[in-house]
Amino acid sequence: MDQQPMSPSERSSPSEQPEKKIYLPRTNESENLKKIRHTTSHVMAMAVQKLFPKAQVTIGPWIENGFYYDFDNPEPFTDKDLKAIKKEMDKIINRKLPVIREEVSREEAERRIKEIHEPYKLEILADIKEEPITIYHLGNEWWDLCAGPHLENTKELNPKAIELESVAGAYWRGDETKAQLQRIYGTAWESPEQLAEYKRRKEEALRRDHRKLGKELGLFIFSDLVGPGLPLWTPKGTLLRSLLEDFLKQEQIKRGYQPVVTPHIGRVDLFKTSGHWQKYKEDLFPMMAENEDAAAHEQGFVLKAMNCPFHIQIYKSELRSYRELPIRLAEFGTVYRFEQSGELGGLTRVRGFTQDDAHIFVTPEQLDSEFLNVVDLILSVIKTLKLDQNFQARLSFRDPASDKYIGSDEAWDKAESAIRRAVETLGMDHFEGIGEAAFYGPKLDFIVRDALEREWQLGTVQVDYNLPERFDLEYVAEDGSRKRPVMIHRAPFGSLERLIGILIEEYAGDFPLWLAPVQARLLPVSEVQLDFAKEVAAKMRALGIRAEVDTSGDRLGKLIRNAEKEKIPVMAVIGAKEVETNSLSIRTRANGELGAMPVDEVLDKIKEAIANFENF
């Protein structure tokens, strides 16, 4: 059970020094960590082949917080095997083997691979386009094809900063028609202290796991009969979704957005015009056609994977004047993606999700100011959700070397320039993500770092010159000519499902008062106080406070424990004295015991806290 919150007197005094925060860089942020993890992965592969001579080595890259290697081994690796492998790794490290880089010709590399009978390495070699081929040796005992970088000697590794974590299945080349391999995951750090902090965060992540907490708090379920990646929302979870929707809808109304509703399916031709069909056909659910001939000619319907083509049709339904622009069309629209089952993950990767989509049609002259207005909305949302302590803006631009994008260079340059002007005007902390753009336009993504230093993409805003061109959108300009509008795509939440998953983990299930499905629970000490508790609860509900009475008849200690377990923000204990004095004995998760307070004062304070998005 979670610990009950401490009263203010139990908390640390300001004079006490907080523990020094241990920074854990990601692999791509530290050249030294990259070398450590590359070298450690080779040490692990050498240890595996010493202990399991029949094991064949495939690939072994570094990943965000560690590394892995894929092996083809006749028998499955066990937890006991991992311990033996780690022990052998320690021996190799302590032997202080030099890490030697060698350059060889393609023919020589092929000869050596055939000599040791490792066919997977031949396939890897065939994919290497650069020459000469680089090989890294551990002493004169083991080698692998690798581009590096590596440390110069295994003595630079600290065995106490390395841990093997798990074994998982993996298909060769990620292709389920090919051989099934065994993937050993590990992590390696510069110091034992970093490893200890990494393990602490992993344990905390398990405690905060939104799949676990979502079930415990009764927010959502998954059903095998319905299908993976398709969450079912319970009454409490539906209320949570509604609260987030209502919050954003109110903000949008203040800012001139107009609500629209569009269907869940559309003709394939709609998505051919937008380009989504050509670019993402494999990610869409299969087409529904009336007959074989229609299917052969790709004439049918698909579940929508995005809302923008539908909103474009609403804009295009009548000739627009420059006086009408900007036109801001907003929808909480559910979209569907045929994600692979192995890529699904709770609420953060699903097959059906609701986007807080809006598409804004502007004149070119209005683009900069409207873009800034959208950024202001996103920043306001992030602040209200208490996620503004640690975030960066990513300028997600196209990779000029890639062919996945549509539209002219001129259109892309104009769109990217508009985004760059916006972040520079606002003085935002930002970085560029080349290759992260949508296929039709660049975007500004808001990357939030949570309580466990994990990064999540939340809000996004995109500038699009291409879809207006593809759909031949127009407006009548001031001089009577027909001109092309610019589109802004924006989604402050991204998707409700993913946002809720992130918030559950960020708050560890302790939702702020305004978002909690149940905001207050009244706990009558005995049946004698039940009627009074029901009267107070009715007053609360009349004021829009989500309150309920625990009518179980359990002892007070259990009533409190149950409310704590369900993470109810405000608990009101009602005994004989409270009934006599028309008061409530208040206990909150945010601030502990607050003591007895008059009922009306409690109601006023709860209302005020909710209105200000604060805790009571």
Side-chain angles (χ1 to χ4, degrees):
M1 185 186 77
D2 291 335
Q3 289 185 337
Q4 296 181 6
M6 296 180 291
S7 66
S9 62
E10 293 176 297
R11 294 195 181 94
S12 302
S13 65
S15 60
E16 291 181 21
Q17 293 296 317
E19 287 186 23
K20 185 178 179 182
K21 189 174 182 179
I22 297 176
Y23 175 62
L24 297 183
R26 290 159 177 76
T27 309
N28 60 7
E29 297 171 336
S30 169
E31 193 65 19
N32 189 46
L33 262 186
K34 198 178 291 183
K35 292 178 180 179
I36 287 172
R37 287 169 178 168
H38 253 305
T39 306
T40 306
S41 70
H42 280 210
V43 170
M44 179 183 76
M46 177 177 172
V48 167
Q49 292 196 304
K50 273 185 169 293
L51 296 174
F52 304 92
K54 293 181 180 179
Q56 292 199 350
V57 170
T58 63
I59 58 171
W62 56 264
I63 52 179
E64 182 176 304
N65 286 311
F67 59 89
Y68 70 78
Y69 238 112
D70 287 347
F71 300 94
D72 189 341
N73 191 52
E75 299 297 326
F77 294 120
T78 65
D79 289 341
K80 185 178 178 181
D81 293 334
L82 290 189
K83 291 177 182 177
I85 294 166
K86 176 59 170 65
K87 191 174 180 180
E88 185 64 30
M89 288 172 66
D90 293 351
K91 291 179 183 177
I92 294 169
I93 291 169
N94 292 329
R95 288 172 59 195
K96 302 177 182 179
L97 297 176
V99 182
I100 304 163
R101 182 179 186 273
E102 182 186 13
E103 293 182 354
V104 298
S105 67
R106 185 175 298 275
E107 292 73 22
E108 175 62 13
E110 185 174 340
R111 184 191 68 78
R112 294 190 192 183
I113 292 169
K114 288 179 177 178
E115 194 174 77
I116 60 174
H117 307 293
E118 294 229 22
Y120 292 103
K121 280 190 171 67
L122 286 176
E123 286 194 48
I124 295 170
L125 178 64
D127 286 342
I128 299 174
K129 305 305 179 187
E130 301 82 8
E131 292 197 41
I133 307 299
T134 57
I135 289 175
Y136 278 86
H137 299 259
L138 294 181
N140 58 3
E141 300 178 34
W142 188 91
W143 61 270
D144 198 5
L145 301 169
C146 190
H150 287 271
L151 300 172
E152 293 185 1
N153 195 293
T154 62
K155 69 181 179 182
E156 297 177 57
L157 295 173
N158 187 334
K160 294 182 179 179
I162 297 169
E163 185 165 289
L164 299 186
E165 299 183 281
S166 62
V167 181
Y171 291 107
W172 173 235
R173 302 293 198 187
D175 186 341
E176 60 186 18
T177 65
K178 295 185 177 178
Q180 172 124 34
L181 308 174
Q182 294 183 72
R183 177 171 296 176
I184 298 181
Y185 285 100
T187 189
W189 299 89
E190 295 170 314
S191 68
E193 290 75 21
Q194 283 184 332
L195 176 60
E197 172 64 10
Y198 168 73
K199 291 169 69 174
R200 184 197 70 79
R201 289 187 192 178
K202 276 189 67 177
E203 291 171 4
E204 181 66 10
L206 289 174
R207 187 181 77 84
R208 292 170 178 256
D209 191 319
H210 74 275
R211 292 163 293 190
K212 168 179 166 288
L213 288 175
K215 184 176 181 180
E216 290 175 2
L217 299 174
L219 300 177
F220 60 89
I221 63 167
F222 287 93
S223 164
D224 288 339
L225 200 55
V226 173
L230 299 168
L232 303 173
W233 294 89
T234 64
K236 284 184 178 179
T238 302
L239 180 55
L240 178 59
R241 286 172 59 101
S242 297
L243 290 166
L244 287 164
E245 281 191 33
D246 292 345
F247 156 65
L248 187 54
K249 284 176 180 176
Q250 290 170 16
E251 283 296 313
Q252 289 177 164
I253 288 171
K254 294 175 190 174
R255 296 167 187 257
Y257 287 82
Q258 302 175 79
V260 296
V261 176
T262 61
H264 290 245
I265 64 171
R267 288 188 183 276
V268 171
D269 287 347
L270 178 69
F271 300 107
K272 285 183 178 178
T273 304
S274 69
H276 290 101
W277 181 254
Q278 296 89 320
K279 293 288 182 180
Y280 297 115
K281 181 179 178 181
E282 299 304 317
D283 297 323
L284 274 60
F285 275 89
M287 182 182 65
M288 296 168 278
E290 292 184 4
N291 52 54
E292 290 184 7
D293 184 62
H297 291 88
E298 291 190 336
Q299 297 297 315
F301 293 83
V302 290
L303 287 169
K304 71 173 175 181
M306 58 293 300
N307 298 300
C308 40
F310 295 83
H311 292 188
I312 286 171
Q313 296 309 299
I314 293 174
Y315 174 89
K316 199 176 179 180
S317 63
E318 56 185 277
L319 183 60
R320 308 290 180 171
S321 164
Y322 74 94
R323 294 187 180 89
E324 296 176 72
L325 274 55
I327 292 176
R328 309 176 184 94
L329 304 180
E331 175 181 20
F332 279 84
T334 301
V335 297
Y336 304 88
R337 309 276 170 86
F338 197 12
E339 303 282 5
Q340 297 300 306
S341 58
E343 296 175 344
L344 300 173
L347 296 180
T348 56
R349 194 73 177 264
V350 290
R351 285 175 167 160
F353 55 94
T354 303
Q355 290 185 308
D356 57 326
D357 247 342
H359 296 92
I360 307 170
F361 302 85
V362 300
T363 68
E365 296 77 20
Q366 294 168 334
L367 175 59
D368 282 11
S369 61
E370 192 64 23
F371 193 93
L372 289 174
N373 289 340
V374 171
V375 172
D376 181 69
L377 170 61
I378 294 174
L379 292 177
S380 174
V381 167
I382 290 174
K383 182 177 180 181
T384 301
L385 295 174
K386 310 296 185 189
L387 298 174
D388 58 333
Q389 303 303 310
N390 197 350
F391 79 93
Q392 277 187 306
R394 182 180 68 202
L395 281 60
S396 297
F397 291 167
R398 68 170 175 164
D399 178 358
S402 173
D403 62 357
K404 79 172 187 177
Y405 306 102
I406 61 173
S408 68
D409 290 343
E410 180 187 5
W412 277 90
D413 290 343
K414 286 193 292 185
E416 290 181 355
S417 295
I419 293 175
R420 190 176 282 110
R421 284 195 303 273
V423 296
E424 290 174 354
T425 298
L426 295 169
M428 295 175 65
D429 183 15
H430 65 277
F431 65 99
E432 291 192 8
I434 303 302
E436 296 290 340
F439 77 91
Y440 51 79
K443 52 184 180 159
L444 181 65
D445 295 320
F446 291 79
I447 311 298
V448 175
R449 188 167 283 192
D450 68 12
L452 296 178
E453 302 293 319
R454 298 171 301 183
E455 288 184 347
W456 302 95
Q457 179 190 318
L458 283 186
T460 185
V461 51
Q462 305 167 10
V463 177
D464 181 7
Y465 284 86
N466 286 312
L467 290 188
E469 187 73 31
R470 294 177 75 91
F471 281 96
D472 194 25
L473 301 187
E474 293 181 330
Y475 68 92
V476 179
E478 191 171 3
D479 62 3
S481 64
R482 302 290 179 89
K483 290 190 176 179
R484 192 80 73 206
V486 183
M487 274 183 72
I488 298 175
H489 307 240
R490 51 108 280 202
F493 291 164
S495 87
L496 272 173
E497 287 74 11
R498 190 164 179 271
L499 174 67
I500 290 172
I502 292 168
L503 291 180
I504 290 172
E505 298 197 3
E506 173 67 12
Y507 302 144
D510 266 324
F511 289 105
L513 182 63
W514 73 276
L515 260 184
V518 178
Q519 294 169 316
R521 180 175 290 173
L522 289 89
L523 311 177
V525 173
S526 71
E527 194 170 340
V528 176
Q529 291 85 37
L530 193 55
D531 288 343
F532 178 80
K534 290 180 178 178
E535 289 174 13
V536 174
K539 287 182 181 179
M540 288 182 168
R541 289 194 289 268
L543 294 171
I545 300 168
R546 297 182 293 279
E548 63 184 25
V549 179
D550 190 326
T551 59
S552 65
D554 290 327
R555 296 174 65 86
L556 179 60
K558 188 173 182 181
L559 297 182
I560 293 173
R561 285 194 298 274
N562 287 342
E564 287 283 353
K565 186 177 180 181
E566 295 175 42
K567 303 184 189 296
I568 308 297
V570 179
M571 291 152 274
V573 175
I574 301 173
K577 185 177 179 182
E578 283 74 24
V579 173
E580 182 182 342
T581 58
N582 194 37
S583 64
L584 301 171
S585 183
I586 299 297
R587 177 189 184 93
T588 70
R589 287 188 63 80
N591 294 304
E593 297 282 359
L594 301 183
M597 303 170 68
V599 169
D600 289 344
E601 183 181 343
V602 172
L603 301 184
D604 289 342
K605 285 183 177 294
I606 293 178
K607 280 197 305 178
E608 182 182 2
I610 293 170
N612 294 322
F613 301 103
E614 295 174 347
N615 282 320
F616 173 40

